[in-house]
Amino acid sequence: RFFLENVRESDINPEAKKQLLSAAHDHMITFPEFQAWLIRATKVDPGLKNTFAAEHYHASIGSSHAETEHSWNKHTMSQNLRRMQYAVRGEVVIRADAMAAEGRKIIYTNIGNPHAVGQKPITYYRQVLSLCDLPPECGVDNPTVASGFPADVVERARELRAAIGDAGTGAYTNSQGIGKFRNDVAQFISARDGHISLPSNIFLTNGASSAIEFVLTGLIGGNRDAIMIPIPQYPIYSAIISRLGARQVGYYLDEDKGWAITERELEQRRTAAVERDGLDIRALTLINPGNPTGQVLSREDLEVICKFCAKHDIVLLADEVYQRNIYDPTKEFISAKKVAMETPGCENLQLVSFHSTSKGLIGECGRRGGYMELHNIDPYVQTQLYKLASSGLCSGVAGQGMTSLMGTP
């Protein structure tokens, strides 16, 4: 009764309350029944079952094994994890994998995975990284290396190999990434934007995804914290937000205006979240170029977003991983940082930008290379993000090298 009197209708499944009241007329609701109902009511469990995992479970423990109630089960596990949904790697893909194992031909279009659908790797990058992986006597210092690799490949590989050090690519690196590689990324950003970028503000990460997770982990402190995300969106944001126990506040892109973002929409969504729902908007996610919408935001659109975030002290998270995937000759990618640096009223904007080697001309998803750049972020917060990165020791060295090559081929 206490729950039903205090929960907001908007926070539960519309039919769930009716179901519980109906059941209560028949018998006393037990705690396990209430738990199961609560999962349905709050949409924690979408009703999907990983049949592939279930089949392998029974095969691994033997058919004679007695059915037991595990202490770690759907009721005792993290309910935030149950609430999390990530459709691009969900039930449909699990079923597709099972069909592929049976010999069926499957074309995977659930996620941006260029090489998996036919994009060829660029030989130059592969050659440089192969020389970095080889011991020097077998690679860059071998007397016959020039007969097997072009001169520019050997020269760049020697630069990367020197930056990696004698331990080679099999050793841990600085948790923020190899200094020379971060310098290459900073030079790339400076040349792109016309504004200084410091290697100390660059974190090399396992793709953009892990960087996004780092930042959201550092931002979210409670279940009243909220992140504004575009609708439509790439579902990593809603997935991580749910897993961290926070709320998502969607702002809708205007399809009739080319998926544009309007100040009115942003203000209305923020006002409703803050004044009606009592949420604390911690950050806003911008995806440019859009995923899945594909739009390239104009400078005017970017100014609207940057000013909005600066006005309300909202951290701007700029997902810019598709910045090289622009096919309309009338469009031009402009970074959020460039706009923030050149727009009056954005002097105090807190900004984190993300980029990745998984898209664009490279498309090396499996390398897990990427970076985030911090702009006007509290130094104390930056030290805590470094601590978080340190807990994972470092990102993959091959991905770090690929990110360096993306910035400075």
Side-chain angles (χ1 to χ4, degrees), residues 48-238:
L48 299 178
K49 294 182 179 179
N50 186 347
T51 54
F52 191 63
E55 291 167 3
H56 281 262
Y57 166 76
H58 290 297
S60 67
I61 63 174
S63 58
S64 62
H65 188 83
E67 291 289 339
T68 59
E69 178 71 16
H70 296 85
S71 61
W72 185 16
N73 56 46
K74 65 181 181 180
H75 299 303
T76 62
M77 70 174 291
S78 165
Q79 297 304 298
N80 285 338
L81 178 56
R82 290 192 69 182
R83 183 178 294 110
M84 185 185 104
Q85 296 185 45
Y86 190 55
V88 298
R89 291 284 188 179
E91 180 77 2
V92 173
V93 183
I94 292 170
R95 178 59 185 146
D97 288 342
M99 293 171 67
E102 296 168 357
R104 301 283 294 277
K105 182 179 179 181
I106 305 295
I107 299 175
Y108 292 87
T109 58
N110 56 298
I111 195 169
N113 195 7
H115 291 185
V117 292
Q119 179 173 318
K120 300 299 182 183
I122 296 175
T123 306
Y124 172 80
Y125 296 126
R126 293 289 184 90
Q127 290 177 319
V128 171
L129 290 181
S130 68
L131 285 176
C132 289
D133 279 333
L134 287 170
E137 63 273 16
C138 300
V140 293
D141 292 340
N142 188 286
T144 64
V145 67
S147 64
F149 295 89
D152 60 340
V153 168
V154 176
E155 180 182 2
R156 190 71 173 101
R158 283 178 174 150
E159 292 177 2
L160 267 64
R161 197 68 176 73
I164 293 168
D166 295 339
T169 56
Y172 292 131
T173 72
N174 178 283
S175 294
Q176 203 168 329
I178 294 172
K180 172 64 169 63
F181 295 175
R182 288 187 282 121
N183 187 64
D184 289 342
V185 171
Q187 289 180 357
F188 159 73
I189 295 172
S190 297
R192 182 195 67 190
D193 296 340
H195 299 283
I196 189 171
S197 174
L198 300 177
S200 58
N201 291 333
I202 305 294
F203 284 71
L204 301 182
T205 57
N206 289 319
S209 300
S210 66
I212 293 165
E213 185 169 3
F214 282 165
V215 173
L216 290 176
T217 299
L219 276 165
I220 292 170
N223 62 8
R224 307 310 298 175
D225 289 341
I227 309 295
M228 295 184 69
I229 61 175
I231 304 297
Q233 54 112 13
Y234 178 61
I236 190 172
Y237 294 98
S238 54

Side-chain angles (χ1 to χ4, degrees), residues 17 28 74 81 117 128 144 152 160 166 181 184 193 202 243 257 266 271 281 292 307-308 310 325 332 361 387 407:
K17 185 174 180 178
M28 179 72 72
K74 65 181 181 180
L81 178 56
V117 292
V128 171
T144 64
D152 60 340
L160 267 64
D166 295 339
F181 295 175
D184 289 342
D193 296 340
I202 305 294
R243 185 170 58 77
K257 296 180 180 179
L266 294 175
T271 298
I281 304 294
K307 288 180 179 179
F308 170 81
N325 294 92
E332 177 188 10
L361 300 176
K387 179 175 69 176

Side-chain angles (χ1 to χ4, degrees), residues 311-387:
K311 173 184 175 182
H312 296 292
D313 289 327
I314 294 172
V315 179
L316 177 57
L317 309 180
D319 182 334
E320 299 173 337
V321 303
Y322 283 98
Q323 60 188 261
R324 294 299 301 273
N325 294 92
I326 299 176
Y327 309 105
D328 185 339
T330 67
K331 301 292 185 179
E332 177 188 10
F333 169 77
I334 305 173
S335 74
K337 181 183 177 182
K338 181 176 178 64
V339 172
M341 294 290 289
E342 298 174 359
T343 303
C346 294
E347 294 80 8
N348 296 322
L349 176 66
Q350 302 164 87
L351 169 67
V352 184
S353 302
F354 308 100
H355 195 16
S356 168
T357 66
S358 298
K359 314 304 176 191
L361 300 176
I362 299 176
E364 294 270 8
C365 301
R367 299 284 177 181
R368 307 312 299 132
Y371 73 79
M372 65 179 178
E373 182 191 26
L374 310 185
H375 171 70
N376 191 35
I377 299 299
D378 186 322
Y380 181 82
V381 170
Q382 183 162 339
T383 63
Q384 298 305 303
L385 289 176
Y386 182 84
K387 179 175 69 176

